[in-house]
Amino acid sequence: MEEKGFFVNDGSSTVIKLPKNSSSLGGGTAVAGAASRGGIAEVYERGLAFVDHFAAMRGYFSSCGILGGLGAAFCVYVSLGLDYRLEGGGVSWITIILILVTFANFLFIQVDWVGYRYEPILFDRGSSKVHIFRSAGLPWWQLGWNLFGRPRSEVQSFDWACVDAEVVTFTIFTAQVPRRESALVLSIKESPGGSVEIQRVGVGPSFAYGDVTSPVQRWEYVRRFMQGEGPAWAPGEVRYKDFGVTFWESLTLMQPLIGPGSSKYWAKGPLMWIGGAVCLIAFPLSAYIGLNRYLSFRLKRAPKWPDDIRASIGAGPFDDARLKEMVDAAAVNSKQKRLGRRKG
C-alpha cells in the first residue's frame, strides 16, 4: 500500500482522507466550496439527515422475486405431480431444490417490501453526535414468508470528535462496461484521534464518472454545519429527490415521451422522439419494474428518531417552503449586517 499525504492507494481503490479542522485538503488543495449535492433527506433546526448509499435501490429485488417465485412455484406444482406418479407419493430431490428456490425468491420480495425506505445518517449539532439509523429486519423465524411484517430498528450514536471522513473511489460494471464512482464515507474511531476503526458508513448517494470534488464539497458542508461555521440550509441547495414514488411516475418509469415531465423531452426534437419510441417497446417491462418501486415505497416505513434525539435536533423536519423562508431570512439578515458595517 502506498500512502502520501491524504492520498492512499491500495491497488484496487483510492482513498482521500479529509480533514475536520480546516477547509482544505492535505497538500494545500483547496476545497471548491461546500454543497450537500442532493444528499439531504431531512433538515432540522440543529440536525441534517443524509440518505445512505443505497436509498434508490428499491423495487429491483421484488421485480425478480415475483417472476422467479411464480415460475418456481409452478415448477414445484409440476414436480410434485410427477413425484406422485413416478415416486409413488415420495418427494424427489429436484422438488426439494425447487422449493428452496421458491423460498429464495420470497426472500427477494421481502427485501423490497419489509424495512425502511432508507437508513439515514443524522448529524446532530445540538449534542455534537452522529446518529446512524439501522434496520434490524425481522426475527429469523419470519424470514421468507412474512411479507408485511413490522421491521425492527436500532440507532447507533457516536461522538463527532470520533468521526473522520474519506472519499473512496471504486469501479463498478454496468452492462460489462467499467465505470469509476466515488463516495463520501465516515470512518468512526473508538476514541478521538484513535486508530482503531469501529464503524464505516456512507453519506448520501455516490457520484459517477470519477467525480471526487462533489463528495469533498459534501463533507465541507457537513463539517461547517457541525462546527458552527455554516447553516443547516444554504441558498441553492436541493433535498434528496427519490423517483418512482407516485403512481404515474412509476408507471412511466424510463419512458421519456409519456408521463410526468415528458414535455421537456418532446421539446428536444426528432432524435429524442425516435429514441423515446424505441423505449416504448420495453414499456411492459419498465412499467412492471416501476410499479414494483412504487409498491416498495408504499409498503416500507419512514425512519423515525427516538425522542431524546428529536429533542436534541430541535424543530423539523422542514418542508421546502419553510426552507425557502429560512434562506430568505438569512439573506435579509446578512444584508442588514453589511449595511450596518458600512454605516459604522
Side-chain angles (χ1 to χ4, degrees):
M1 178 180 292
E2 175 188 349
E3 182 168 346
K4 184 177 181 181
F6 289 94
F7 178 77
V8 178
N9 187 354
D10 64 3
S12 60
S13 64
T14 56
V15 175
I16 302 174
K17 298 180 180 179
L18 303 179
K20 195 163 59 176
N21 56 358
S22 68
S23 59
S24 65
L25 292 173
T29 304
V31 174
S36 69
R37 295 300 177 189
I40 297 176
E42 295 177 334
V43 180
Y44 297 86
E45 182 182 1
R46 296 181 297 274
L48 291 177
F50 280 78
V51 296
D52 59 289
H53 281 347
F54 304 102
M57 295 298 294
R58 187 180 62 251
Y60 305 112
F61 284 103
S62 57
S63 295
C64 297
I66 292 173
L67 291 178
L70 289 174
F74 177 76
C75 291
V76 169
Y77 172 77
V78 174
S79 185
L80 285 173
L82 293 175
D83 289 345
Y84 180 79
R85 295 179 182 179
L86 302 178
E87 302 289 341
V91 178
S92 66
W93 63 269
I94 295 178
T95 301
I96 294 174
I97 292 176
L98 288 172
I99 291 174
L100 293 176
V101 171
T102 304
F103 177 78
N105 279 280
F106 271 90
L107 286 175
F108 273 38
I109 299 172
Q110 194 176 59
V111 166
D112 267 346
W113 287 10
V114 180
Y116 295 88
R117 294 170 183 172
Y118 55 93
E119 298 182 6
I121 301 92
L122 176 63
F123 295 93
D124 179 359
R125 186 166 65 185
S127 62
S128 293
K129 289 185 178 293
V130 176
H131 309 288
I132 303 174
F133 186 96
R134 296 290 195 190
S135 173
L138 295 173
W140 67 268
W141 52 271
Q142 296 185 26
L143 296 178
W145 65 269
N146 190 354
L147 301 181
F148 304 98
R150 184 180 183 86
R152 301 169 296 177
S153 65
E154 63 180 11
V155 176
Q156 302 171 350
S157 298
F158 304 95
D159 290 335
W160 169 248
C162 298
V163 176
D164 292 328
E166 301 172 352
V167 174
V168 178
T169 62
F170 49 92
T171 301
I172 65 172
F173 290 87
T174 55
Q176 298 181 345
V177 177
R179 186 180 74 200
R180 201 69 172 164
E181 296 222 345
S182 63
L184 174 61
V185 176
L186 300 185
S187 173
I188 302 173
K189 304 301 194 296
E190 64 174 351
S191 61
S195 59
V196 179
E197 184 179 78
I198 59 175
Q199 181 65 276
R200 290 179 70 83
V201 63
V203 181
S206 59
F207 301 93
Y209 307 111
D211 178 8
V212 296
T213 300
S214 293
V216 174
Q217 293 176 334
R218 179 175 289 170
W219 170 246
E220 182 67 3
Y221 191 92
V222 170
R223 187 195 68 78
R224 292 182 187 182
F225 168 75
M226 288 297 290
Q227 298 183 180
E229 300 174 16
W233 198 248
E237 289 294 327
V238 292
R239 288 194 299 169
Y240 171 75
K241 299 295 184 183
D242 203 347
F243 63 97
V245 297
T246 65
F247 179 80
W248 289 112
E249 182 187 14
S250 302
L251 185 66
T252 58
L253 186 71
M254 297 181 287
Q255 296 295 332
L257 298 186
I258 57 177
S262 60
S263 58
K264 62 182 179 182
Y265 295 105
W266 280 101
K268 291 185 177 182
L271 288 179
M272 178 55 69
W273 303 345
I274 295 172
V278 173
C279 290
L280 286 172
I281 298 174
F283 176 73
L285 177 61
S286 65
Y288 170 72
I289 295 174
L291 290 176
N292 274 309
R293 282 189 59 86
Y294 174 77
L295 184 61
S296 175
F297 181 82
R298 293 302 172 189
L299 291 176
K300 284 193 169 184
R301 301 171 185 268
K304 293 184 178 180
W305 300 105
D307 292 340
D308 58 332
I309 294 178
R310 286 299 306 267
S312 177
I313 58 180
F318 302 125
D319 58 18
D320 290 337
R322 179 69 180 100
L323 293 175
K324 184 177 184 303
E325 292 176 2
M326 292 168 58
V327 170
D328 293 342
V332 171
N333 290 336
S334 178
K335 183 177 181 180
Q336 290 176 346
K337 289 181 180 179
R338 290 196 303 270
L339 292 175
R341 285 194 297 267
R342 290 177 182 176
K343 291 179 179 180

